[in-house]
Amino acid sequence: MADHAHLLAEIKDNIHQKDPIKARLVLGYLENMDKKIREQVLGAFREAAPEFAVPVLCRFIAEHRDMVAGLPLVREILAVKILAQPELLAKAISDPQTPCRSMYIAMAGELRLEEVVDNLIEALLAASDVSEINQILDTLGEIGDPQATNAVSEFLYSGNRILIISATKALGKLATPTAMLRLAERMGTDNQLDLLILDIFAKVQDSISLDKLNEAMRSHYAHLRTYAKKTLVGIGPKAVPILTENLLFDDADLRIHTLNVLGDIGDPAAISPIRKLLHTHPANANVRFAAYEALGLLPLDRGAYVLTQGLSDPVDHVCIAAAKAIDRNFNEIMAAGIKNLASERDEDAHRIIKTAINAQAKEIFLSLMEEESFQPMALSHLGRAHQDIRDFFYAILKEHGYSGLALKLLAPEEKKTAARKRICAVDDSRMILSIYKSTLHELGFEPVLFEFPASALEWLQSNTPEMVLTDLNMPDITGIDLTRAIRKSFSKKDLPVVMVTTQDEANDNKAALEAGVNDILRKPFTAESLQAVFKKFL
């Protein structure tokens, strides 16, 4: 204890005599001191002049990082001294010969000292050591002074990946419009860097950032489109105005991606633009499908009856999407409109009833069951439906007083037949999976459905279906990623994989074929188009 007291007296004398060498020797013994004496030794620096305390403490921290990690008081006192005389930091940063200069640079960032930005920029432009440049870029980003934008931007094209990434992150922290423009200009040559930049845009969310995220939905690369869509959904209503403008362009892929995002955001501001789009009756059935799917996710308080026109669409997928949207917004006006449609011709009645069944549209189905003339048609279609769908409507009929119909739905014990061959279908749209269930069952196969590709891969570890049908644009794992993973275990002959997608992008097609798909099928698929694929590969 006496020795410790002696060290306290000595450090006070070192500070008084301004002897940095002896002061550093005493500080080097700190971890062996009693806690109370240690705090007193460090506390002595509170009275030291900044020009003495700053270099001594900076060097002590640089040379004893492990010890200082458990002594927060060291940094606290150093910060106080720097803030009292910031020009000391500026001078040290400007002089390349400063001992432990990196410590001064680090403190500039830690304290967000805008006073030394000019000195840091000067040091950045003069530096040649990669680690030093990297640290200065990080520090300028931490300080966040816009005047550093141009100097940092120069390193986006340095040719050194470490420095490019550091410059990218620093510009993201500066977050000025110019910084966002520079990042936007840098995109297009490195997919991983593009993802990092899109992540920055997602955090900044200024007009430039939103525009670039929106633009990324047109990317030639599936993973960039998927990332941009996921990010825009996360941004939410703020992104809706720029997204709805996309619907004005006659670009089917962009419209579909946009509608997917608008549906997931769920902002009522998107309702009117989507309805206007449907009024133009887009030629692409996938656009119509996506529009009804999106409306089904939005709160249609008024005018929901316009959805009934979707039941007359010539494409079954679109009818099912419309039926789902109707069911979520069902009212008496819609019920009357649907009954009128179904009453015109038996052909229309059969189609609407089949659509309601395949969509598992409870409200539409119950409305039609009020008319006895529709009941035999419903039982006929249900008799051929997948067991899951039959079970769903059996429960509904019993619950709503149609026990007689429910009993008729109970099929007699079937004769033993060969087990159905399994087809695995992967799609992040639950509606598409429902359509797969009905269509594959109709074709005589047992559908095995997955909303998440990771779950499909897990199942495939112990199961081998006849074929895998996969969507392209899915979050986290794209259809191309899924195919690559499948090909690690199965050859194209052992397990055919067919990409089923709305997209018709040359890069995607090339990447899909290189990943190992056997074929590419365009949505909306039909029983006939699926049958053709099965005949080709099974």
Side-chain angles (χ1 to χ4, degrees):
M1 189 72 179
D3 288 342
H4 293 171
H6 170 71
L7 289 172
L8 176 58
E10 185 167 337
I11 197 70
K12 287 182 178 180
D13 185 60
N14 298 154
I15 291 171
H16 179 70
Q17 298 294 331
K18 295 186 178 179
D19 188 335
I21 297 174
K22 288 184 178 179
R24 290 201 301 273
L25 287 173
V26 173
L27 289 174
Y29 195 67
L30 271 179
E31 61 183 347
N32 299 316
M33 296 181 193
D34 173 84
K35 181 181 177 182
K36 183 177 180 182
I37 296 297
R38 185 165 59 225
E39 290 179 354
Q40 290 175 341
V41 168
L42 289 173
F45 278 88
R46 296 186 190 277
E47 307 302 322
E51 58 267 22
F52 176 80
V54 170
V56 170
L57 293 176
C58 274
R59 192 157 179 176
F60 172 59
I61 293 172
E63 294 175 350
H64 300 274
R65 293 186 184 277
D66 291 342
M67 187 196 306
V68 173
L71 299 171
L73 186 58
V74 180
R75 277 189 128 80
E76 179 187 320
I77 295 171
L78 176 58
V80 170
K81 295 301 176 182
I82 291 173
L83 291 172
Q85 209 166 315
E87 60 270 19
L88 290 171
L89 217 61
K91 184 179 178 182
I93 290 170
S94 292
D95 183 2
Q97 303 304 316
T98 300
C100 305
R101 184 168 172 239
S102 64
M103 191 62 227
Y104 291 86
I105 295 171
M107 290 304 297
E110 195 172 309
L111 297 173
R112 310 289 197 272
L113 276 183
E114 293 183 359
E115 295 94 325
V116 301
V117 167
D118 287 338
N119 308 86
L120 286 166
I121 292 173
E122 180 187 338
L124 178 66
L125 298 177
S128 57
D129 180 74
V130 170
S131 60
E132 184 179 331
I133 295 171
N134 194 45
Q135 186 190 21
I136 297 173
L137 288 170
D138 289 344
T139 301
L140 287 169
E142 289 297 324
I143 294 173
D145 191 318
Q147 68 171 308
T149 302
N150 289 335
V152 173
S153 297
E154 294 295 322
F155 289 87
L156 288 175
Y157 303 90
S158 67
N160 183 302
R161 187 170 177 77
I162 293 173
L163 297 183
I164 291 171
I165 290 173
S166 291
T168 299
K169 290 179 178 177
L171 288 171
K173 291 175 182 176
L174 293 173
T176 63
T178 302
M180 296 304 100
L181 277 174
R182 296 290 175 267
L183 290 177
E185 291 165 358
R186 185 63 180 83
M187 293 182 71
T189 59
D190 183 323
N191 288 342
Q192 292 305 115
L193 185 63
D194 287 351
L195 286 174
L196 176 59
I197 293 172
L198 289 177
D199 192 43
I200 289 169
F201 290 157
K203 292 173 184 173
V204 175
Q205 295 184 22
D206 64 355
S207 58
I208 294 170
S209 299
L210 291 175
D211 185 58
K212 291 301 174 183
L213 282 168
N214 185 43
E215 191 176 299
M217 287 202 297
R218 305 186 195 201
S219 171
H220 296 306
Y221 301 99
H223 70 284
L224 289 180
R225 290 194 302 271
T226 301
Y227 187 86
K229 289 170 68 175
K230 182 179 178 181
T231 303
L232 287 163
V233 171
I235 290 172
K238 187 175 181 180
V240 169
I242 195 169
L243 286 166
T244 52
E245 290 180 10
N246 294 343
L247 302 181
L248 302 175
F249 296 98
D250 190 15
D251 180 334
D253 288 338
L254 179 62
R255 281 175 165 177
I256 292 164
H257 296 318
T258 299
L259 290 163
N260 294 159
V261 174
L262 289 171
D264 287 340
I265 290 175
D267 187 351
I271 294 172
S272 180
I274 296 174
R275 286 175 56 186
K276 286 179 181 177
L277 173 65
L278 280 172
H279 283 315
T280 68
H281 197 74
N284 189 298
N286 292 310
V287 172
R288 303 197 300 276
F289 175 88
Y292 284 114
E293 187 177 36
L295 286 177
L297 298 171
L298 295 168
L300 302 180
D301 295 331
R302 297 179 185 176
Y305 60 88
V306 300
L307 296 171
T308 56
Q309 69 184 19
L311 295 178
S312 301
D313 196 278
V315 176
D316 289 344
H317 284 207
V318 180
C319 295
I320 290 173
K324 283 277 194 184
I326 290 168
D327 223 49
R328 290 192 184 101
N329 299 276
F330 202 71
N331 57 42
E332 291 181 1
I333 296 176
M334 295 172 115
I338 291 169
K339 286 178 183 176
N340 285 337
L341 279 174
S343 298
E344 290 180 3
R345 296 180 303 169
D346 280 354
E347 180 184 338
D348 294 331
H350 276 287
R351 189 173 189 205
I352 290 173
I353 289 170
K354 183 179 179 182
T355 296
I357 290 170
N358 288 340
Q360 294 187 25
K362 170 185 171 182
E363 302 300 335
I364 297 176
F365 180 81
L366 286 173
S367 173
L368 292 171
M369 289 305 94
E370 292 174 0
E371 306 292 330
E372 285 189 17
S373 59
F374 296 140
Q375 292 176 6
M377 296 182 190
L379 289 175
S380 173
H381 286 292
L382 282 169
R384 297 189 297 272
H386 188 279
Q387 189 62 47
D388 290 350
I389 296 174
R390 292 172 64 180
D391 291 344
F392 175 81
F393 285 105
Y394 173 79
I396 287 172
L397 287 169
K398 283 205 71 175
E399 180 186 348
H400 292 272
Y402 295 98
S403 296
L405 289 176
L407 286 173
K408 289 180 182 180
L409 186 55
L410 289 174
E413 186 177 347
E414 294 183 8
K415 295 179 181 178
K416 289 186 178 180
T417 57
R420 288 172 174 248
K421 293 180 178 180
R422 295 177 298 181
I423 300 291
C424 173
V426 188
D427 201 297
D428 62 324
S429 167
R430 293 183 183 180
M431 197 178 303
I432 291 292
L433 291 177
S434 295
I435 295 170
Y436 270 129
K437 179 182 286 187
S438 299
T439 309
L440 291 171
H441 178 81
E442 179 185 330
L443 291 173
F445 294 94
E446 179 59 35
V448 182
L449 311 174
F450 293 97
E451 183 180 352
F452 302 103
S455 300
L457 285 173
E458 184 178 346
W459 183 79
L460 287 167
Q461 289 176 6
S462 53
N463 295 275
T464 306
E466 297 298 308
M467 179 181 286
V468 173
L469 306 170
T470 178
D471 188 23
L472 170 62
N473 296 300
M474 295 182 289
D476 302 323
I477 300 175
T478 67
I480 292 170
D481 296 330
L482 175 63
T483 304
R484 288 196 189 104
I486 290 172
R487 289 292 168 248
K488 291 178 181 178
S489 303
F490 299 96
S491 69
K492 292 174 76 170
K493 183 179 179 181
D494 291 337
L495 179 56
V497 176
V498 175
M499 190 83 69
V500 187
T501 176
T502 62
Q503 202 83 24
D504 190 10
E505 165 65 52
N507 277 14
D508 291 331
N509 295 343
K510 182 173 181 287
L513 292 169
E514 288 176 351
V517 302
N518 294 65
D519 205 350
I520 299 171
L521 179 64
R522 302 292 163 212
K523 290 179 181 176
F525 58 82
T526 62
E528 290 74 22
S529 63
L530 286 178
Q531 185 74 290
V533 167
F534 297 151
K535 285 182 178 178
K536 187 174 180 181
F537 295 107
L538 302 185

